[in-house]
Amino acid sequence: MEVVAGDLTAPDTLVNAFHGVTAVYLITSSEDAYASMQTDARIVELAEKAGVKRVAVLVGGYDEGPLEEALRKSAMDWTMLKPVEFMANALADWQLSIRSEGVVREPFASVLSARVHEADIAGVAVATMLEDGHHGQVYWLTGPEVLSRREAVKFISEAIGKRIRFEELTEDQARAK
């Protein structure tokens, strides 16, 4: 296996990475919550020119942008993956306060979500790049169970064997956080 460096925000750095590649997995979001990476749509042109046949793209948020539009217009098979909420985000957001105080502070305690594990997202991405029948599909990815924030904290508490309190924040408190 050969490792080739590239930057999704600088498409020309990917030319060598696309050499001999038939399927590509792209992302449009960044590590910064709610921030878009602004993955350049030129990637689609370069991938297609290099002979890439299939593209799976992890769409950050609900809105599609220039990259997704370019994929829809391309001759490549494409699949959009739209996870509702990553399980790891909850763990990353809550771990410090759980460890230090035994508490999670969040707004909207009763809002339901079917958080999805990243390994499940990866499994779907691999299937769309290796199997026929996914071209032109938009898959909304969810976890196996719908839970409120309060319920999710309860399950984490049980799993780690530590009592964790849930404190519901008001919208104003959450904005100030």
Side-chain angles (χ1 to χ4, degrees):
M1 176 188 336
E2 179 184 357
V3 177
V4 180
D7 181 344
L8 292 172
T9 63
D12 291 325
T13 67
L14 298 170
V15 171
N16 290 334
F18 289 143
H19 180 73
V21 171
T22 59
V24 174
Y25 179 56
L26 298 174
I27 60 172
T28 60
S29 60
S30 72
E31 291 177 357
D32 183 12
Y34 310 109
S36 175
M37 239 173 65
Q38 299 303 314
T39 303
D40 195 306
R42 181 159 152 66
I43 290 172
V44 174
E45 174 190 337
L46 295 171
E48 191 168 18
K49 184 177 178 182
V52 172
K53 304 293 181 216
R54 291 185 176 157
V55 177
V57 62
L58 181 67
V59 179
Y62 296 99
D63 297 327
E64 294 181 8
L67 180 108
E68 295 88 340
E69 183 180 335
L71 272 175
R72 289 181 187 278
K73 292 177 181 176
S74 78
M76 294 182 290
D77 285 357
W78 56 266
T79 310
M80 308 288 177
L81 307 179
K82 296 184 175 189
V84 294
E85 191 174 1
F86 289 66
M87 178 53 80
N89 288 350
L91 298 177
D93 292 345
W94 299 345
Q95 70 179 333
L96 184 61
S97 65
I98 288 172
R99 285 185 179 148
S100 64
E101 304 174 70
V103 65
V104 169
R105 293 178 187 90
E106 287 282 327
F108 316 115
S110 299
V111 169
L112 299 176
S113 179
R115 291 173 184 85
V116 61
H117 193 281
E118 293 71 29
D120 295 329
I121 298 168
V124 173
V126 168
T128 67
M129 291 186 291
L130 296 178
E131 302 170 0
D132 292 333
H134 302 286
H135 171 60
Q137 298 297 313
V138 176
Y139 295 132
W140 288 92
L141 306 178
T142 66
E145 187 173 0
V146 176
L147 300 172
S148 69
R149 284 173 165 62
R150 188 180 308 278
E151 290 169 324
V153 169
K154 178 182 164 230
F155 283 121
I156 293 169
S157 177
E158 291 171 4
I160 66 173
K162 177 180 178 177
R163 184 178 181 281
I164 305 170
R165 289 185 335 274
F166 186 93
E167 294 179 7
E168 186 169 12
L169 300 177
T170 66
E171 287 184 53
D172 289 337
Q173 290 170 323
R175 283 190 188 101
K177 182 177 163 183

